[in-house]
Amino acid sequence: MIGASVSFFLLLSVVPAYATASGAGPATGALMLATVLGELGAPRLVARYGYRAALTAGLALLGAPALVLTLSHSLVWIVLVCLVRGLGFALTLVAGGALTASLIPAERRGEGLALVGVVSGVPSLIALPLGMWLAGRVGFAPVAVAAGVAALAAVASVPGLPGRERASEKPVRMSAALRTGGLARPAAVFATTAVAAGIVVTFLPVAVPTAASSVVAAALFVQPAASTAARWAAGRYGDQHGPAGLVVPGLLLSAGGMLITAFTGSTAAVLTGVAVFGTGFGIAQNATLSLMYARVRASGYGTVSALWNLAYDGGMGVGALGFGVLAGPWGYPAAFTVTGVLMLSALVPALRDRRVPAPRE
C-alpha cells in the first residue's frame, strides 16, 4: 500500500503541471478514466487469479510507465502513460481493499479501515506536496523515476500476502451492486466528495495566484493531513455508534470547504477551505466504506472495494474535467463556488439512506 500510494500521489499534481494548464485536465482525467474502467473488471480478475497476481500486475503497470513519462512532452504520450498507470492503480486498489477487508474483524471494521487509511494516507500526505516541491527544484524526470521505483520495489512484498479469499458464496457482480440501493447510495454520496478532491489536486496549483505559490504546497499538505486524521476519528466513532450518521456531516463539511476555498486570493481562506474539505472528505471516506462493507458478505468485499474506488476515481476524473469547463468562462472562484453548491444535491441519497433500514444485502 505504501509503494502504490507513494507512486500515485508523487505524480498526481506533478503530471498536470508537466502537461501545462491546457493539458492538466486531460492528464488527470485519463488517469481517473483508466482507473474507473480497470475497477469495473478488477473484481473478476481478483476472483479468478487471486490477490498476489492482481497486486503484482497492478504495481508493475503503475510503476513501469512512470519511468518513461518524461521521454516526451507530447500530450498524447502523457495521456497514454496516465491510462496505463490508471489500470495498474485500479488493480492495486481493488485487490488491496478486498484483502484488507477480509483481515479486519467486523466489530472493529471502522477503526481497521481507518488504520488502512493511515497506511495509505501518510504516504499521500508526504508525497503529494513533495512531488511539486521536488519538481520545482530537481525537475520532472527524477520525480517520475522515483514514483516508478516506489511501485516496482513494492512487488517484493507481494509473495508474503494471502493468495485468495476462501468463500462458499459466488462473488457479487458489479451490475448487481449498482442496482442495490444500500451500496449505490453511499457510493453516490462519496463520489460527490471525490469530485471536489479531483478539483483540489488538479486545479489548486493553477487557481492560486503565482505570487502565493508557496500556499499551494502548504494546502496540498493540509488537505490529506486533515483527511487522514478525520478518517481515523470517524472510524473510532463509527465502531461505537455506527457509520450511517456520519455520511451527511462528511458531505456538508466537504461542500463547505469548497465554498471557502473559492476565495483563492486569500491565503487564510485557501488553507481553511482545504482543511474543512479534508475533514469532511476523511469522514465520508470511512463512513461510506464501512457502511458498504457491513452490507455484504465476504464474497462481496472485492465488489464493494471496486464500487467504492470507482466512486472515488470516477468522481476525481469528473472533477478534473468538469471544473475546467466551468473555470474557463467564469473563473476559478466562481467555479469553486458552483462546485460547492452542486455538491449539496447529494443530500438527497444521503438523507434517504438514513431513513431506509440497511440489512445485510
Side-chain angles (χ1 to χ4, degrees), residues 74-85:
S74 165
L75 181 58
V76 174
W77 175 255
I78 295 171
V79 167
L80 179 61
V81 168
C82 289
L83 287 172
V84 177
R85 295 188 78 236

Side-chain angles (χ1 to χ4, degrees), residues 35-47 90-91 94 174 306 310:
T35 305
V36 166
L37 295 177
E39 285 162 352
L40 290 173
R44 183 172 295 183
L45 294 175
V46 173
L91 281 171
V94 174
M174 181 65 76
L310 183 69

Side-chain angles (χ1 to χ4, degrees), residues 114 227-239 246 283 286:
S227 296
T228 301
R231 194 171 181 179
W232 178 271
R236 296 292 296 273
Y237 180 92
D239 284 341
L246 293 173
I283 293 172
N286 190 278

Side-chain angles (χ1 to χ4, degrees), residues 9 14 37 55 57 73 81 94 108 121 124 150 195 217 281 324 331 337 341:
F9 285 100
V14 169
L37 295 177
L55 287 171
H73 215 111
V81 168
V94 174
R108 299 191 66 188
S124 70
V195 166
F281 188 54
T337 301
V341 173

Side-chain angles (χ1 to χ4, degrees), residues 213-309:
S213 58
S214 60
V215 176
V216 175
L220 293 177
F221 177 86
V222 169
Q223 187 262 307
S227 296
T228 301
R231 194 171 181 179
W232 178 271
R236 296 292 296 273
Y237 180 92
D239 284 341
Q240 298 176 12
H241 306 284
L246 293 173
V247 175
V248 171
L251 173 63
L252 292 176
L253 285 170
S254 298
M258 292 300 287
L259 293 174
I260 298 171
T261 308
F263 297 94
T264 55
S266 167
T267 298
V270 170
L271 294 178
T272 301
V274 296
V276 172
F277 166 72
T279 300
F281 188 54
I283 293 172
Q285 281 181 301
N286 190 278
T288 54
L289 185 58
S290 297
L291 198 59
M292 292 167 70
Y293 276 133
R295 293 174 174 178
V296 298
R297 300 184 185 277
S299 60
Y301 287 168
T303 301
V304 163
S305 176
L307 179 57
W308 187 84
N309 282 294

Side-chain angles (χ1 to χ4, degrees), residues 83-115:
L83 287 172
V84 177
R85 295 188 78 236
L87 292 175
F89 193 52
L91 281 171
T92 63
L93 288 174
V94 174
L99 174 58
T100 52
S102 69
L103 300 175
I104 300 171
E107 65 275 9
R108 299 191 66 188
R109 180 176 285 117
E111 187 176 2
L113 292 175
L115 179 59

